[in-house]
Amino acid sequence: MTASNERTVIRGGLVVTAAEEIHADVLIEGERVAALAAHGSAAARAWQAEHEIDATDCYVVPGGVDAHTHMELPFGGTSASDTFETGTRAAAFGGTTTIVDFAVQGVGHSLREGLDAWHAKAEGKCAIDYAFHMIMSDVTQDVLKEMDVLVEEGVTSFKLFMAYPGVFYSDDGRILRAMQRSAANGGLIMMHAENGIAIDVLVEQALAAGHTDPRYHGEVRRELLEAEATHRAIQLARVAGAPLYVVHVSAEQAVNELAQARDLGLNVFGETCPQYLFLSTDNLAEPDFEGAKYVCSTPLRPKEHQAALWRALRTNDLSVVSTDHCPFCFVGQKELGRGDFSKIPNGLPGVENRMDLLHQAVLDGHLSRRRWIELACATPARMFGLYPRKGTIAPGADADIVVFDPHDRYTMSAATHHMNVDYSAYEGRQVTGRARTVLSRGTTVVDRGRYLGRAGHGAYLPRSTSQYLI
Ligand SMILES: [Zn+2]
């Protein structure tokens, strides 16, 4: 625990940010980074501190910013199994020190009611800092006006769904109105881009044909219906003159739509998630209903799509890797869909795994180290108005810092992870590199596998508007 004015020095590590890699020591005063100085320099040697952290042979990286999580989300007659307490603790173990979760507007209710409900769930519970996007389920005139107020307050992004008719779904008219409003008030529209109306027809037909296994979840949610919705969302955003951020992109054809829009110089951005980079329809097809563990939307795609996703992460046609962390236990939750894949709660656990999986991608040659930090820390912070407080290591930034051991080899498993879910989507996967010491605003919350934080340390973060627009 670090008292308000205590100093900590992290010595001997390689500081990696999105911008540079430097052999530097880092001085923390209280909750913020005070200075960086070269190893052994007179300045660094002169620093006196109550706490010293030896980062020799380690990277010193900004804490991860996961811009897409769903703690305690009610869905499909059940609720995501991580609370804000367990989910943010697991995030900290994985080197993520900020989450942006989604407050949900209920149909017939105001945005305010939804936001208040999510504040109540999170307040006093979080191990790390947190912010909220707002899911809009019912776009009325009053709700459009409310958007302006939320932007002023620091809830500056709004998620709409072209999927899930009867639940979160908005039709094109509602989407256009929300986009027009965000064009005027500076908000960023986030889109779940799948043609839910068409998908529901295919679901009905699949079930009627006796196709009830989890793998049919992937088959009915066709790639073309992701691409079509992505295309339509982009055109609606152009008509409205609004920026657009497409969440959890999984199909190569959808990536192509984003790439075309970006080639036109539009403020159109895409996010993908580790599950689309590391898992595939092969997992959905696992026997004995095991495939249910991998049911999420957009769905996992055939392996061939992965190369397109990695390429887009290098070209910046995809700019962010978030998790869409939305865990449901296999026993009692995923099982709700035995005999009917459409009743399997949609979502995967992953908030603890993202930083390490992306580091593995560095070792595998998909990304550079700086790009790893850009995708996982800096760009999500900029995209959602948290930079440079979050997402980098620089004087004045919050001291959210991870001492990352790039040599620590381990096996991902539900037996050892900290997420409140009874399986790992990456069970048995060996990765090299792991967060060793994790600081949140100058306080060590995880060290060598031990949790030193506390529920309620994490603070709510009001956000500015997007800092990533062209
Ligand atoms: Zn989501």
Side-chain angles (χ1 to χ4, degrees):
M1 203 58 77
T2 307
S4 56
N5 290 317
E6 285 188 4
R7 294 171 146 222
T8 302
V9 180
I10 303 174
R11 294 200 192 270
L14 177 68
V15 175
V16 182
T17 67
E20 57 195 357
E21 303 188 354
I22 46 173
H23 293 277
D25 298 345
V26 179
L27 175 66
I28 298 164
E29 282 179 355
E31 299 195 333
R32 304 225 163 154
V33 175
L36 285 78
H39 298 326
S41 64
R45 277 185 286 139
W47 290 340
Q48 302 283 338
E50 285 83 1
H51 308 277
E52 292 248 353
I53 296 173
D54 180 5
T56 306
D57 295 329
C58 287
Y59 304 149
V60 178
V61 301
V65 177
D66 191 340
H68 191 154
T69 67
H70 299 282
M71 307 305 173
E72 305 182 53
L73 175 75
F75 188 94
T78 184
S79 254
S81 58
D82 261 320
T83 62
F84 279 90
E85 182 168 354
T86 63
T88 57
R89 190 167 60 213
F93 272 103
T96 285
T97 54
T98 303
I99 60 164
V100 191
D101 203 273
F102 290 84
V104 180
Q105 177 207 11
V107 174
H109 295 268
S110 65
L111 300 184
R112 173 69 57 201
E113 288 171 80
L115 185 57
D116 285 351
W118 257 258
H119 271 299
K121 289 179 203 236
E123 195 173 353
K125 302 284 175 25
C126 294
I128 55 165
D129 290 354
Y130 63 100
F132 290 122
H133 312 286
M134 190 80 224
I135 286 177
M136 298 174 71
S137 314
D138 195 0
V139 183
T140 63
Q141 288 301 331
D142 285 345
V143 164
L144 290 168
K145 291 189 198 118
E146 271 196 290
M147 288 175 77
D148 301 356
V149 183
L150 261 62
V151 170
E152 286 293 314
E153 278 179 23
V155 178
T156 57
S157 40
F158 302 88
K159 186 177 178 192
L160 295 163
F161 288 78
M162 303 169 104
Y164 304 131
V167 188
F168 298 129
Y169 174 81
S170 290
D171 66 25
D172 291 354
R174 289 177 164 216
I175 288 168
L176 183 64
R177 285 185 202 279
M179 285 175 165
Q180 288 170 330
R181 198 78 185 194
S182 75
N185 67 25
L188 178 60
I189 296 292
M190 309 170 74
M191 190 63 72
H192 180 137
E194 285 187 292
N195 187 326
I197 301 281
I199 286 168
D200 275 6
V201 172
L202 300 180
V203 169
E204 188 188 305
Q205 291 169 348
L207 293 174
H211 298 157
T212 60
D213 289 345
R215 71 187 171 94
Y216 293 102
H217 170 85
E219 294 194 8
V220 298
R221 303 189 85 91
R222 299 275 294 270
E223 295 151 12
L224 290 173
L225 297 177
E226 183 188 348
E228 182 277 327
T230 303
H231 179 84
R232 186 158 33 102
I234 291 166
Q235 306 316 323
L236 290 168
R238 293 176 75 180
V239 168
L244 174 69
Y245 178 95
V246 182
V247 295
H248 49 54
V249 175
S250 68
E252 177 171 12
Q253 297 92 325
V255 172
N256 293 342
E257 296 290 342
L258 294 173
Q260 267 189 37
R262 293 181 53 78
D263 285 349
L264 295 173
L266 301 172
N267 275 312
V268 169
F269 311 102
E271 159 199 280
T272 193
C273 311
Q275 53 268 36
Y276 307 118
L277 298 164
F278 290 91
L279 305 173
S280 73
T281 45
D282 294 352
N283 299 98
L284 269 175
E286 286 177 16
D288 302 326
F289 196 64
E290 292 276 310
K293 295 176 176 175
Y294 307 95
V295 165
C296 57
S297 296
T298 60
L300 302 184
R301 302 296 183 189
K303 266 203 170 68
E304 299 78 70
H305 291 255
Q306 292 172 359
L309 297 177
W310 288 119
R311 187 174 64 241
L313 288 173
R314 293 192 294 272
T315 61
N316 210 35
D317 288 324
L318 294 172
S319 307
V320 171
V321 179
S322 305
T323 58
D324 197 7
H325 177 76
C326 191
F328 297 99
C329 287
F330 183 74
V331 175
Q333 293 195 297
K334 290 289 188 181
E335 284 183 335
L336 294 169
R338 273 195 198 274
D340 179 350
F341 68 83
S342 74
K343 295 202 165 60
I344 301 169
N346 284 208
L348 256 64
V351 74
E352 188 173 352
N353 306 127
R354 181 184 68 130
M355 294 292 284
D356 296 354
L357 287 168
L358 289 179
H359 177 261
Q360 184 62 45
V362 172
L363 299 180
D364 294 345
H366 293 300
L367 306 170
S368 70
R369 278 192 297 229
R370 280 177 290 123
R371 186 63 176 158
W372 163 47
I373 298 306
E374 191 166 33
L375 292 165
C377 312
T379 300
R382 280 203 171 97
M383 188 71 72
F384 297 107
L386 291 167
Y387 199 86
R389 186 170 170 193
K390 305 297 187 187
T392 192
I393 298 175
D398 280 357
D400 286 16
I401 296 178
V402 176
V403 176
F404 190 91
D405 180 351
H407 310 291
D408 186 353
R409 187 172 172 81
Y410 76 103
T411 303
M412 290 182 170
S413 172
T416 49
H417 74 199
H418 302 86
M419 298 176 285
N420 184 39
V421 60
D422 62 0
Y423 74 95
S424 169
Y426 306 99
E427 188 67 41
R429 183 177 295 265
Q430 289 216 327
V431 293
T432 300
R434 165 147 65 168
R436 193 183 79 189
T437 306
V438 180
L439 285 78
S440 165
R441 281 181 286 107
T443 297
T444 300
V445 292
V446 170
D447 187 48
R448 293 177 169 83
R450 283 180 309 142
Y451 181 62
L452 304 175
R454 64 178 174 84
H457 164 82
Y460 171 68
L461 300 165
R463 297 179 289 114
S464 77
T465 55
S466 178
Q467 302 157 314
Y468 202 73
L469 305 187
I470 296 160

